[in-house]
Amino acid sequence: MRKGEIDVISMGCSKNLIDSERLMKRLFEKGYEVIHDPEAPRGEWVVVNTCGFIQDAKEESIDLILQLGQLKQQRKIGRLVVMGCLSQRYMDDLKQEMPEVDIWYGKYDWKTFISSLPDRKENVNLPKDWERSLTTPPYSSYLKISEGCNRFCAFCAIPIITGRHTSRPIEEILEEVSDLVAKGVKEFNVIAQDLSSYGTDLYGRHALAELIDRMAGIEGVEWIRLHYAYPSDFPTDILDVMARRDNVCKYIDIALQHIADPVLSNMRRHIDGNKTRELLAEMRRRVPGLKIRTTLMVGFPGEGEEEFRQLLDFVRNERFERMGAFAYSEEDDTWAAKNLDDSIPEELKQERLDTLMKVQEEIALARNEEMIGRTVRVLIDRVEGDTRIGRTQWDSPEVDPEVYVSGSDACPGDFINVKITGAEPFELFGELV
């Protein structure tokens, strides 16, 4: 155990990661040595920022806490703190079941932990609320523009965990972006639980287009990429900004979940299949070169063989450039868990998921093969031997295809022009132009 060291372990999504980065910034300012996601935790304090979104993520968080509890018993770490979505949702139960945890916080009250720690240096600076210590590469950052969600989809626990949708003011976000650019950040992955609703609570109108347009006007912002839009009440004026601004990536992550009307109705998605198709067509028409990432769900109550066939046909027809999928599982306290019968066998859910992803793998390969011969701009992320590995504007970190580049001596953070020479379903290959 190392006195004065605080290990911060971040679980789950990029939105959680930003909370961890804000925590770390405040700990640094108080004079502590802070290690993010250490290979071997050894801190005087260990803080786990948990995920509580789906069952697998909850189990992963619980398993980690139990492992850290054993390290604490062995005196390899000091005190154990748990915060984040899982504890926000299940704190009372977890306190009884996990006495090895010293202090529990939810998703929003973790700043109390900061104030409880003694300063380890004089003249501690109080960071602005948005300031954080980046754990991502120095040229790339996530940017959270709102918190919470008002949609209350039948299957989703996010509103239960995060509360109502709350937008950050435009001026505050622009101040953060300018600060990050001055520190070398070039790529901004804009995130929110519901990107489509940005501004409606604060300004009484959709303000995503204004925000992104003004962000794009800041010198040094090379790429802006949009994540987690909602199809119902989508702010279509953002499409004009995407088409007009070269540094707004022709990419959007929009979770559609399904296409069959009975399933969409049961999901309480506030949109039907025809409106979904019309929105996708408008997106592609107004933003030439747009690549769409979506997420779909199989096995939700109401999905019979016909509804699943419609979903397969939809995927084949739309030919999404990027797609993920998962099988439905009940989440505590959601509308679906209380009101719908989860009667589809798990084996059938998995069979449908495998079938859907096999179709998508074929589409992904064909889409990537369409790139062969094109010259594209690539942001280099890492070096492996003589190969440079990076991403195009259509590829978000960690989830989308990478480009393997030969003939270059570029460093991480460099932009280079690459001619695509080969393709696999989830990888591209190219050479320096």
Side-chain angles (χ1 to χ4, degrees):
M1 180 175 63
R2 289 193 57 181
K3 193 168 182 63
E5 177 178 306
I6 300 180
D7 297 331
V8 177
I9 303 174
S10 192
M11 313 285 288
C13 67
S14 52
K15 295 178 285 294
N16 243 23
L17 182 64
I18 287 179
D19 291 338
S20 295
E21 291 175 339
R22 293 171 64 208
L23 168 66
M24 292 170 61
K25 174 67 175 178
R26 285 148 182 78
L27 293 173
F28 278 126
E29 291 296 337
K30 288 177 75 74
Y32 289 87
E33 180 182 0
V34 186
I35 309 296
H36 182 252
D37 286 349
E39 291 186 9
R42 57 180 182 175
E44 180 182 2
W45 293 85
V46 177
V47 182
V48 183
N49 190 1
T50 58
C51 179
F53 177 43
I54 59 176
Q55 188 61 33
D56 287 349
K58 288 185 284 189
E59 291 175 358
E60 185 179 1
S61 292
I62 290 171
D63 288 345
L64 177 62
I65 295 169
L66 294 174
Q67 292 170 22
L68 292 170
Q70 293 178 348
L71 294 180
K72 180 184 170 185
Q73 288 181 342
Q74 299 165 6
R75 299 185 181 277
K76 293 182 179 179
I77 65 173
R79 305 188 75 186
L80 179 56
V81 178
V82 174
M83 58 179 275
C85 293
L86 185 72
S87 51
Q88 176 77 22
R89 193 174 179 193
Y90 299 110
M91 187 179 297
D92 291 340
D93 292 337
L94 291 172
K95 281 182 176 179
Q96 296 180 14
E97 295 174 8
M98 294 183 164
E100 56 266 61
V101 176
D102 293 287
I103 308 175
W104 295 89
Y105 295 102
K107 183 171 175 59
Y108 300 109
D109 60 348
W110 53 265
K111 292 181 184 178
T112 305
F113 175 58
I114 308 295
S115 60
S116 71
L117 294 173
D119 296 343
R120 292 180 62 87
K121 69 175 186 180
E122 297 181 357
N123 302 319
V124 173
N125 295 319
L126 292 177
K128 295 182 179 179
D129 190 60
W130 48 262
E131 286 188 284
R132 49 200 169 99
S133 298
L134 294 185
T135 60
T136 51
Y139 52 85
S140 179
S141 175
Y142 293 103
L143 182 72
K144 182 160 59 174
I145 65 171
S146 66
E147 188 75 81
C149 182
N150 295 348
R151 303 287 187 167
F152 294 98
C153 298
F155 54 84
C156 186
I158 286 177
I160 300 171
I161 300 170
T162 63
R164 306 289 286 184
H165 177 265
T166 305
S167 302
R168 294 177 57 199
I170 289 177
E171 298 301 332
E172 177 185 284
I173 296 171
L174 296 179
E175 182 183 11
E176 179 180 7
V177 171
S178 296
D179 178 77
L180 290 170
V181 167
K183 294 174 180 175
V185 175
K186 307 173 185 178
E187 175 187 49
F188 291 86
N189 293 293
V190 178
I191 57 175
Q193 280 91 2
D194 175 13
L195 211 65
S196 298
S197 295
Y198 176 75
T200 54
D201 57 312
L202 203 57
Y203 307 113
R205 57 179 173 81
H206 291 291
L208 182 64
E210 178 185 348
L211 170 65
I212 300 303
D213 194 33
R214 293 180 64 182
M215 270 185 64
I218 296 175
E219 185 176 356
V221 174
E222 297 279 352
W223 277 355
I224 301 170
R225 195 177 289 109
L226 304 178
H227 301 78
Y228 320 126
Y230 195 95
S232 175
D233 198 27
F234 179 83
T236 54
D237 54 348
I238 187 61
L239 302 176
D240 297 328
V241 177
M242 296 176 73
R244 177 166 47 85
R245 288 286 195 178
D246 290 338
N247 57 351
V248 179
C249 297
K250 308 305 183 275
Y251 172 107
I252 192 163
D253 189 331
I254 180 168
L256 300 175
Q257 306 299 354
H258 217 280
I259 196 62
D261 287 347
V263 182
L264 290 171
S265 178
N266 281 355
M267 287 180 168
R268 309 180 88 185
R269 292 288 286 174
H270 314 294
I271 193 170
D272 61 23
N274 285 337
K275 290 292 185 184
T276 299
R277 292 184 182 90
E278 290 172 3
L279 175 61
L280 294 174
E282 183 177 7
M283 285 179 168
R284 294 195 186 277
R285 176 177 57 82
R286 292 174 61 173
V287 186
L290 178 69
K291 295 186 187 293
I292 298 173
R293 163 169 278 280
T294 194
T295 305
L296 300 174
M297 184 190 300
V298 300
F300 192 78
E303 184 189 69
E305 292 300 327
E306 170 59 22
E307 287 74 23
F308 181 63
R309 183 194 64 76
Q310 290 181 35
L311 183 63
L312 285 177
D313 289 345
F314 173 62
V315 170
R316 290 189 181 104
N317 291 334
E318 291 294 336
R319 301 181 71 237
F320 293 107
E321 290 84 0
R322 315 279 184 259
M323 194 195 87
F326 61 100
Y328 170 69
S329 62
E330 282 189 349
E331 285 296 313
D332 296 340
D333 301 321
T334 59
W335 191 89
K338 293 177 180 178
N339 295 280
L340 298 176
D341 183 13
D342 182 17
S343 59
I344 300 175
E346 294 302 318
E347 296 81 4
L348 182 55
K349 291 179 184 178
Q350 189 61 48
E351 179 183 323
R352 289 177 179 175
L353 180 60
D354 293 343
T355 299
L356 182 64
M357 291 311 299
K358 183 177 181 181
V359 169
Q360 178 57 27
E361 184 173 349
E362 295 170 355
I363 293 169
L365 175 58
R367 283 294 203 182
N368 276 351
E369 287 176 338
E370 293 170 2
M371 298 289 293
I372 294 176
R374 291 185 58 182
T375 296
V376 295
R377 192 180 189 216
V378 172
L379 174 60
I380 298 301
D381 282 323
R382 66 186 190 277
V383 177
E384 293 183 1
D386 294 331
T387 302
R388 269 57 184 171
I389 302 169
R391 294 171 289 109
T392 72
Q393 64 166 309
W394 304 291
D395 300 306
S396 192
E398 300 182 359
V399 297
D400 289 326
E402 293 180 311
V403 185
Y404 289 73
V405 184
S406 60
S408 172
D409 59 359
C411 298
D414 289 345
F415 287 94
I416 59 175
N417 291 323
V418 176
K419 182 178 180 180
I420 302 302
T421 58
E424 292 183 3
F426 306 111
E427 293 174 339
L428 290 170
F429 303 89
E431 56 190 25
L432 180 69
V433 175

